[in-house]
Amino acid sequence: MPEKPTLVKCLVWDLDNTLWQGTLLEDAEVRLPDEVRAVIVELDSRGILQSVASKNDHDLAWKRLEELGVAEYFLVPQISWGRKSDAVTTIAKELQFAPTTIAFVDDTPTERAEVAYHVPEVRCYTEQDVLTLVDRPEFSPETVTEDARRRREMYQANARRTVEKDSFNGPDEDFLRSLDLVMEIKRADQEDLTRVEELTLRTSQMNATGVHYSDSALRGLLADPDHEVLTITLTDRFGPHGAVGVLLLERHPGVWHLKLLATSCRVVTFGAGTVLLNWLVDQAARAGVHLAADFRPTDRNRMMEIAYRFAGFTQDACDCLNGIAGNTDGDDIQCLHLVTARREGPTTMRLVSPDLTPAS
């Protein structure tokens, strides 16, 4: 059975003779075909972000996109006279996406070749491919969650946060407090499982192991009293960030085993990972148990390793780890350890969370 292709997270459009018919600086009017508009709307509804890399006059091109009623669909547009490969790279960095999750569509063979040469991980398509994109597996997620349908809006809200942060005059902690952040940690239910599975698939930079838990596996764990499947959401005065984390915990006598921790890279700057880990350490300390955490180092999850080390996890041996030997998935997964002690709650956000300690 052929391996499923990596899902596209962002499609980058050329404009002239690709998104619209005609050349903006040469033709009296350029036209957006209804069929292309339908592709834009459908990809957006699936949670696939879109942007623009076009050699054009920025103000004229953006004005035309607004007149056509589609400007709102395009994040961090790169409209200038520079190289398309530089534009695509900038878009990937701004959105914090790996190049392997970016697609680029352009009618000019030399432009596609230039992008393919400088950013070979990016998948390139011709203008003739546009109407087939919605039928291709790399543009077709198996499930589309509510968070996915709102992904563009959440990224646009984040852009407004960034603008406000850049103009904020004061310490970072004061800015975070000004956002009125609320983190909610809750036990997952059946409706949450698609969001949990999506997070394990989409998150690589802040994923401790990279292990994918299928929908059926997660449903089995929900029914297991020795496991906790927790989802994390974040909201602030700009709106919801959606589901930003998943935590999978297995209880053993004397130790809780953190088998998976994945958080969205979108909320790293809010200290979400630190708040989450401190809460879990405090819960374990209240229960009188140690913590063990699976970690598989990769080229992309260095930030997660730093978060674990900063929280106090080490590779020191402990007798409590004997009870969880063999539970890890793969020889390259490390089992980190922490002797727990009570931790203070967050000062930059309000935390709503369950009590994981056993009833006395």
Side-chain angles (χ1 to χ4, degrees):
M1 187 174 181
E3 186 176 344
K4 293 181 180 178
T6 301
L7 287 172
V8 170
K9 292 185 180 182
C10 179
L11 174 63
V12 181
W13 293 82
D14 171 49
L15 294 179
D16 291 336
N17 296 308
T18 303
L19 185 132
W20 56 47
Q21 293 181 345
T23 302
L24 185 64
L25 297 181
E26 297 177 2
D27 299 324
E29 183 176 355
V30 295
R31 188 177 71 86
L32 175 64
D34 290 340
E35 298 86 352
V36 176
R37 185 188 300 272
V39 170
I40 296 170
V41 174
E42 177 60 26
L43 294 178
D44 183 72
S45 73
R46 297 179 185 183
I48 297 172
L49 303 182
Q50 296 169 85
S51 188
V52 170
S54 174
K55 289 182 178 178
N56 251 307
D57 180 281
H58 179 278
D59 293 345
L60 287 176
W62 191 250
K63 180 182 178 182
R64 186 58 181 146
L65 287 169
E66 291 178 327
E67 292 169 347
L68 293 168
V70 292
E72 63 181 330
Y73 289 97
F74 302 113
L75 307 181
V76 294
Q78 304 298 305
I79 304 172
S80 68
W81 300 104
R83 298 192 311 183
K84 295 284 184 77
S85 60
D86 292 338
V88 171
T89 299
T90 297
I91 291 166
K93 289 181 178 179
E94 289 286 333
L95 297 177
Q96 298 185 37
F97 287 168
T100 53
T101 65
I102 304 294
F104 172 66
V105 57
D106 196 300
D107 68 301
T108 307
T110 54
E111 296 289 8
R112 295 194 303 271
E114 192 271 329
V115 169
Y117 178 80
H118 290 285
V119 201
E121 304 94 335
V122 171
R123 283 163 282 185
C124 296
Y125 302 85
T126 74
E127 80 285 3
Q128 296 176 341
D129 296 325
V130 167
L131 299 186
T132 71
L133 296 180
V134 296
D135 298 319
R136 294 173 180 256
E138 62 267 34
F139 291 90
S140 304
E142 292 185 6
T143 58
V144 179
T145 65
E146 182 61 30
D147 281 354
R149 284 187 284 270
R150 301 183 61 185
R151 183 163 289 124
R152 170 175 54 85
E153 297 175 19
M154 290 191 288
Y155 271 80
Q156 289 169 328
N158 191 56
R160 294 192 292 272
R161 290 184 195 98
T162 301
V163 170
E164 180 150 333
K165 181 179 180 181
D166 290 343
S167 63
F168 187 85
N169 186 19
D172 288 345
E173 287 197 357
D174 288 350
F175 172 71
L176 293 178
R177 279 189 280 268
S178 77
L179 292 176
D180 300 327
L181 287 158
V182 178
M183 175 184 285
E184 181 178 7
I185 304 169
K186 67 182 286 287
R187 290 183 167 98
D189 55 31
Q190 298 290 337
E191 294 182 359
D192 292 324
L193 291 187
T194 53
R195 295 199 298 178
V196 171
E197 185 181 12
E198 183 186 38
L199 270 169
T200 67
L201 284 170
R202 291 181 65 91
T203 305
S204 59
Q205 294 186 49
M206 294 298 289
N207 189 322
T209 65
V211 175
H212 168 231
Y213 287 86
S214 66
D215 183 83
S216 59
L218 290 168
R219 290 183 190 279
L221 294 177
L222 283 187
D224 184 347
D226 291 332
H227 279 86
E228 294 278 4
V229 182
L230 303 169
T231 60
I232 300 94
T233 58
L234 195 68
T235 61
D236 64 24
R237 59 186 172 87
F238 287 96
H241 295 256
V244 299
V246 56
L247 189 155
L248 177 57
L249 190 72
E250 183 177 13
R251 292 189 179 91
H252 295 271
V255 61
W256 288 356
H257 182 192
L258 181 55
K259 299 168 75 172
L260 173 69
L261 177 61
T263 61
S264 170
C265 57
R266 293 182 288 112
V267 295
V268 169
T269 57
F270 303 113
T274 298
V275 170
L276 184 57
L277 282 171
N278 281 340
W279 170 80
L280 182 60
V281 171
D282 186 66
Q283 287 283 305
R286 291 175 60 200
V289 297
H290 292 186
L291 273 176
D294 288 350
F295 180 73
R296 174 190 280 138
T298 70
D299 292 337
R300 291 185 53 77
N301 70 354
R302 176 64 175 163
M303 287 190 295
M304 181 62 80
E305 180 177 14
I306 293 171
Y308 272 150
R309 301 297 185 184
F310 190 74
F313 284 91
T314 71
Q315 290 183 277
D316 295 342
C318 182
D319 290 342
C320 75
L321 301 179
N322 296 331
I324 63 173
N327 281 4
T328 54
D329 182 13
D331 294 336
D332 57 343
I333 292 185
Q334 304 169 3
C335 191
L336 307 179
H337 177 260
L338 174 66
V339 177
T340 60
R342 293 295 306 271
R343 301 272 175 103
E344 296 291 332
T347 61
T348 57
M349 65 180 68
R350 184 165 65 90
L351 182 60
V352 179
S353 60
D355 185 357
L356 302 186
T357 59
S360 56

